[in-house]
Amino acid sequence: MGRPLWFAAGAGVGVYAAARARRAAEALTADGVRDRVRGWRAGARLFAEEVQQGRAERETELRERLGLRPHGLPELTARTPTDDPQKDPH
């Protein structure tokens, strides 16, 4: 029973190694490298879009919390000494 088991295990490992070697060889061809670069670019573009979307959502949330206009400069008002009831201008 030992020999058939080792034969089957060896055949399985051989098939697996051949498939991995074929994939590695395909990845190193010009088309394989081009496909990998395209995949990396697509992943980077999707990541950049997600970051941009998250940044925009967070900015909107902060602007709402701080009471700022949706776009543009913040609405700041100048305080005069008469606005503060605790300070006496005299």
Side-chain angles (χ1 to χ4, degrees):
M1 179 128 135
R3 285 187 180 186
L5 176 67
W6 287 111
F7 178 78
V13 168
V15 169
Y16 177 76
R20 295 289 292 180
R22 184 178 42 84
R23 285 187 200 156
E26 287 176 2
L28 295 176
T29 64
D31 290 336
V33 171
R34 190 178 311 121
D35 289 342
R36 285 185 181 265
V37 169
R38 285 181 184 160
W40 289 335
R41 283 183 182 168
R45 185 176 52 247
L46 290 173
F47 177 73
E49 289 173 2
E50 288 289 328
V51 169
Q52 173 70 16
Q53 183 181 5
R55 185 194 59 79
E57 289 174 2
R58 181 66 175 149
E59 182 178 352
T60 301
E61 178 184 320
L62 289 173
R63 285 184 177 279
E64 287 175 358
R65 185 182 297 169
L66 297 173
L68 303 174
R69 291 186 295 179
H71 298 289
L73 299 174
E75 297 175 11
L76 299 177
T77 57
R79 293 189 62 172
T80 61
T82 58
D83 289 344
D84 194 355
Q86 302 225 346
K87 289 188 177 180
D88 187 19
H90 300 287

